[in-house]
Amino acid sequence: MTFTADTKSVVIGGTSGIGKAVSDTLSTRSGTVTVASRATGLDVTNERAVAAFFADHGAVDHVIFTAGSAAPGGAVAAVSFDAAKQAFDTKFWGSVAVAKAAAKHIRPGGTITLTSGFLARRTVPGTYVKTAMNAGIEAVAKILAKELAPIRVNVVSPGLTNTEAYAGMTADARVAMLDRAASSLPAGRAGAPEDLAQGYLFSIDNPFVTGAVIDIDGGALIN
């Protein structure tokens, strides 16, 4: 995909973690990159606010959604519906709201890239909210790829990645957790945001990729 001075990219959730790595990488190319998140005042759980955001920005070429949510862990019988719904409102319904609003403004040759996670296809007790939410995103993206064609719609599915999502842990606990993951993964290490950013760029750059789930998980799904 050719980037020119007129190319406009939007990264939702681009102020931290994987999203920031994506926006930083896109910023090295021609064109402009707009970053939006809750930190910049965009609430993706508000469909009207999302629609107004894209209406204000006009024509765009590439939209990337990396906004995440603190999905509660625990057995199905133990997790409160309110906590589960809140997680879905941000990541799942936020993804749908962004795709729905952005599609009206994407120029020919444009793309939408969403974000799921390896738990979408990995059975781990106590993670049903993440599993259902990410699996739902992957399923909806395939439908969008058909409904919105020729706009290309893809999903990047990250594995364990060293981001601010673990900022609540002590430094020692965080290092220990990442080291344990590294020792169990075929890739021999946890992911870095920059590793994931390459997947989003692949989905944008390759004109023959749509309806795809791009796994960048260090081999977690083959473990």
Side-chain angles (χ1 to χ4, degrees):
M1 182 64 62
T2 301
F3 276 65
T4 70
D6 294 327
T7 302
K8 294 173 65 176
S9 303
V10 176
V11 183
I12 307 296
T15 54
S16 64
I18 293 170
K20 185 175 187 305
V22 174
S23 61
D24 287 348
T25 303
L26 285 171
S27 294
T28 66
R29 299 185 171 194
S30 298
T32 60
V33 181
T34 298
V35 172
S37 69
R38 190 179 295 274
T40 68
L42 179 63
D43 180 3
V44 298
T45 68
N46 185 326
E47 185 180 4
R48 289 185 178 179
V50 172
F53 171 84
F54 281 100
D56 288 344
H57 282 77
V60 298
D61 296 283
H62 306 294
V63 175
I64 299 97
F65 187 97
T66 64
S69 58
V76 175
V79 175
S80 77
F81 269 16
D82 286 344
K85 288 177 180 177
Q86 186 173 19
F88 262 82
D89 282 347
T90 299
K91 189 170 183 180
F92 178 80
W93 290 114
S95 295
V96 173
V98 166
K100 180 179 176 181
K104 300 173 183 177
H105 304 280
I106 292 179
R107 291 188 280 226
T111 66
I112 298 172
T113 310
L114 306 178
T115 305
S116 61
F118 79 102
L119 287 172
R121 283 161 286 132
R122 179 78 179 269
T123 303
V124 179
T127 66
Y128 97 89
V129 177
K130 284 186 177 180
T131 293
M133 186 165 58
N134 290 326
I137 289 170
E138 292 181 3
V140 169
K142 291 180 181 294
I143 293 172
L144 287 171
K146 295 200 74 171
E147 291 183 349
L148 301 182
I151 294 171
R152 294 187 295 108
V153 183
N154 295 291
V155 182
V156 172
S157 177
L160 179 66
T161 308
N162 186 6
T163 69
E164 296 91 335
Y166 304 104
M169 303 173 68
T170 66
D172 288 346
R174 182 173 178 170
V175 169
M177 182 268 294
L178 293 171
D179 285 347
R180 284 194 302 273
S183 66
S184 68
L185 289 172
R189 68 181 183 87
E194 295 73 21
D195 300 326
L196 274 299
Q198 296 307 310
Y200 295 87
L201 270 292
F202 171 77
S203 72
I204 290 171
D205 289 340
N206 192 318
F208 203 50
V209 175
T210 191
V213 178
I214 301 164
D215 293 314
I216 308 179
D217 61 9
L221 285 175
I222 62 172
N223 256 358

